[in-house]
Amino acid sequence: MTVLEVIQRSAGFLARKGVESPRLQIELLLAHALGVPRLKLYLDFEQQLTAANLGIVRELVRRRGNREPLQHIIGSTSFCGYEIRVNRDVLVPRPETEMLAERAWQWLSAVSASPSTALDFGTGSGCLAIALAARCPGAQIHATDISEEALRVARENAALNNLSDKILFHSGDGFAALPRDLPFDLIVSNPPYVPSAEIATLAPEVRDHDPRLALDGGADGLDFYHRLASEAASHLRSTGRMMLETGDGQSEQIRRLFVQHKWVVESVEADYTGRSRILTLRSGRM
Ligand SMILES: C[S@@+](CC[C@H](N)C(=O)[O-])C[C@H]1O[C@@H](n2cnc3c(N)ncnc32)[C@H](O)[C@@H]1O
């Protein structure tokens, strides 16, 4: 079978299984199996696949057809250009979170404190902490998670990106994971924000493969914003900022919640699809 035939047949199969962007998905799987950049496939459409390669590709396509995430099958993803390994223990980093990372490193790199300090609350794969550490080499980054399994992946990703000495990982529930008297210039978080009852309605790639701990934000999805609104101020320097990702349609409720807790909402920014996503806050308490 030629490269083009594999692409066409597999794209049809994946489409019937309900996979989004099936042609792109098979191209990425095929490029991964053959160990070539995806665009190289276009130069070799008529190349015959060996029986061994065909066997490998069939297995990958079978897994994707069962709605296993592409990133789990390949084993990694790219976040702001950094390679991040992923498995069932961590949320697959999302493109919209790259915008939070960008806003965070832009702000942190302008901070005059030396060293500046930042906290990634609920680090998962470590993607935000890694992007911050790479882009702000003068900063000390701390990262927390309640999941030991996630922290193992995050540490591996820090090592993979040669950033182990820039990030301190802490295990535990919320701010209780941190040592006392450790004020931050910046707190970033993409907390779990899916309302518990909605998890069952999500795409199989998310519902069955992302850890529930990474998704479940409680009955209304806002549990972690309540915690951050009431607890984060005492961990932030008076000149500090907190930047949070919010779920689709949640930002107005979350903005009001923080205002009630005496935070100043500096901005609410939309992602590339126009959905309000990133809240930048400073504490209004003096
Ligand atoms: C939505 S994921 C975000 C992961 C990563 N920061 C990202 O943006 O891809 C939320 C993370 O918060 C962690 N988490 C859940 N409950 C927590 C808690 N009580 N304390 C600390 N972390 C928690 C989860 O294990 C998960 O890794």
Side-chain angles (χ1 to χ4, degrees):
M1 212 185 286
T2 66
V3 164
L4 186 58
E5 284 167 339
V6 170
I7 291 175
Q8 287 171 337
R9 287 191 196 184
S10 305
F13 169 78
L14 293 177
R16 287 192 296 280
K17 292 285 186 177
V19 172
E20 266 185 41
S21 312
R23 167 104 190 196
L24 174 63
Q25 299 281 305
I26 175 57
E27 288 182 6
L28 291 166
L29 287 174
L30 190 52
H32 173 69
L34 300 180
V36 298
R38 179 168 71 96
L39 294 181
K40 176 106 184 353
L41 300 176
Y42 284 77
L43 305 173
D44 288 328
F45 268 161
E46 296 311 320
Q47 186 199 328
Q48 291 285 335
L49 263 70
T50 63
N53 280 340
L54 205 51
I56 294 170
V57 174
R58 279 206 178 106
E59 172 58 10
L60 301 184
V61 171
R62 186 193 63 76
R63 288 171 63 186
R64 190 66 191 95
N66 285 339
R67 308 295 296 269
E68 195 174 332
L70 178 80
Q71 298 87 342
H72 283 194
I73 299 172
I74 289 177
S76 70
T77 188
S78 171
F79 183 83
C80 298
Y82 304 101
E83 187 183 356
I84 302 292
R85 297 219 174 115
V86 290
N87 61 24
R88 299 185 75 100
D89 294 329
V90 294
L91 185 92
V92 173
R94 307 294 204 261
E96 53 268 26
T97 308
E98 292 183 323
M99 196 169 154
L100 173 62
E102 203 177 313
R103 291 295 172 273
W105 79 56
Q106 283 166 349
W107 190 84
L108 191 64
S109 53
V111 167
S112 56
S114 178
S116 53
T117 54
L119 170 67
D120 174 15
F121 181 101
T123 195
S125 64
C127 58
L128 280 167
I130 286 165
L132 280 179
R135 296 297 183 127
C136 306
Q140 177 65 63
I141 312 298
H142 295 256
T144 61
D145 209 290
I146 198 168
S147 160
E148 286 291 347
E149 293 78 15
L151 283 170
R152 195 171 313 125
V153 176
R155 284 195 185 92
E156 279 171 23
N157 281 323
L160 178 69
N161 287 280
N162 295 317
L163 293 165
S164 296
D165 59 336
K166 295 279 178 204
I167 308 172
L168 285 167
F169 292 98
H170 308 273
S171 163
D173 184 358
F175 289 105
L178 292 168
R180 285 186 180 280
D181 299 327
L182 185 60
F184 297 103
D185 295 294
L186 176 68
I187 297 175
V188 286
S189 186
N190 172 24
Y193 55 60
V194 183
S196 309
E198 268 181 33
I199 295 176
T201 69
L202 300 175
E205 286 87 344
V206 180
R207 182 191 67 208
D208 301 335
H209 296 276
D210 277 326
R212 188 170 177 108
L213 207 52
L215 301 173
D216 195 343
D220 61 359
L222 304 184
D223 280 7
F224 284 86
Y225 300 98
H226 282 279
R227 286 178 71 169
L228 288 161
S230 59
E231 296 173 32
S234 59
H235 297 270
L236 208 53
R237 291 206 167 105
S238 57
T239 52
R241 296 289 185 281
M242 180 156 70
M243 297 185 185
L244 305 177
E245 181 170 321
T246 64
D248 190 14
Q250 291 177 330
S251 67
E252 180 49 29
Q253 245 181 311
I254 295 173
R255 191 193 66 74
R256 272 189 266 123
L257 167 69
F258 277 91
V259 169
Q260 277 163 15
H261 281 81
K262 309 226 175 316
W263 288 81
V264 177
V265 180
E266 285 200 332
S267 62
V268 182
E269 277 185 84
D271 65 17
Y272 305 112
T273 66
R275 297 177 170 93
S276 292
R277 277 283 178 201
I278 301 171
L279 247 68
T280 299
L281 305 141
R282 65 187 156 81
S283 173
R285 296 179 195 165
M286 285 294 148

